[in-house]
Amino acid sequence: MLTVFTGVEAALNIVLSTLNAKYIHTSLALRYLKAYGERDFDMEIVEYTIKDPIMNIVSDLFNRKPDVIGFACYIWNIEETLEVVRLLKKILPDLTIVLGGPEVSYDTDYWMKSEPAVDFIVMGEGEATFHHLLQELQGDRKFHFVFGAAYRKPDGEVVINPPRPKLDLNEIPSPYRFKEDLPTL
């Protein structure tokens, strides 16, 4: 079970996921997101491949009972990822779906308008933006303050916030230290 450590508020079950090109690949992006946010949030990394059956992926993610799923999107996985997203939103309509990565960062307006199952897109470097987005999901929900994010208002209007300033690489914790990764390092 994944939790957010913020006092008496309800915990969010946060899953970070992607569909890798091959089983032997792992996603460095997901590990950076987890490393950056772990001081405030507990996040589970779950990876699949583009060859995995879509229904197996959806079933596995459904069984994890997520409140928020963040997907890393690339040219090699966008079609399969969107299939997963659409099915998840049908069976878990209250699930918050966040896309990030190069495939959705540069034509954000298109993706937000063409994919109603997507709630947010994190544009560019995602570490600080995703962390801030999780804080707002847990707190006041003032998404207009989350620089580097796009979101959909309750009336369906798409809002694309200004970009976030570049991160100082010295402030990003190392992603090479998670207990679950040690056997494969």
Side-chain angles (χ1 to χ4, degrees):
M1 187 58 128
L2 303 172
T3 55
V4 177
F5 305 104
T6 57
V8 295
E9 299 170 4
L12 290 175
N13 184 355
I14 304 164
V15 173
L16 302 173
S17 189
T18 196
L19 283 67
N20 294 314
K22 295 182 178 182
Y23 180 71
I24 59 169
H25 297 165
T26 57
S27 174
L28 188 57
L30 300 182
R31 284 156 180 83
Y32 268 117
L33 291 173
K34 181 175 178 173
Y36 192 88
E38 74 179 342
R39 69 182 180 270
D40 297 315
F41 301 98
D42 187 14
M43 296 178 250
E44 179 182 14
I45 293 174
V46 184
E47 296 176 272
Y48 308 96
T49 73
I50 57 175
K51 300 285 188 199
D52 290 332
I54 297 296
M55 289 308 295
N56 289 4
I57 297 169
V58 170
S59 176
D60 184 57
L61 289 169
F62 175 84
N63 287 329
R64 293 172 191 279
K65 299 177 178 33
D67 298 305
V68 178
I69 299 181
F71 287 98
C73 300
Y74 302 92
I75 195 168
W76 63 82
N77 73 5
I78 189 67
E79 290 180 27
E80 294 85 353
T81 299
L82 291 174
E83 286 183 55
V84 170
V85 163
R86 292 175 194 129
L87 288 170
L88 281 171
K89 200 63 159 186
K90 283 182 183 177
I91 59 175
L92 295 170
D94 294 330
L95 173 64
T96 299
I97 296 177
V98 182
L99 301 185
E103 193 62 23
V104 295
S105 283
Y106 300 103
D107 203 0
T108 304
D109 188 58
Y110 166 80
W111 292 112
M112 288 296 292
K113 288 179 178 172
S114 66
E115 295 298 333
V118 175
D119 299 299
F120 299 92
I121 291 180
V122 170
M123 302 170 291
E125 295 175 346
E127 292 84 0
T129 302
F130 188 67
H131 182 264
H132 189 183
L133 177 59
L134 292 175
Q135 289 173 320
E136 291 302 328
L137 285 168
Q138 186 72 26
D140 295 333
R141 302 181 71 82
K142 294 182 179 178
F143 303 123
H144 59 282
F145 287 131
V146 183
F147 289 165
Y151 65 99
R152 195 180 318 283
K153 288 183 175 180
D155 67 2
E157 178 188 354
V158 171
V159 177
I160 300 175
N161 290 338
R164 182 172 295 274
K166 297 290 182 195
L167 284 174
D168 178 351
L169 295 179
N170 293 318
E171 294 179 10
I172 302 175
S174 172
Y176 296 107
R177 59 181 165 53
F178 296 116
K179 184 174 61 173
E180 61 269 27
D181 287 335
L182 292 178
T184 58
L185 283 178

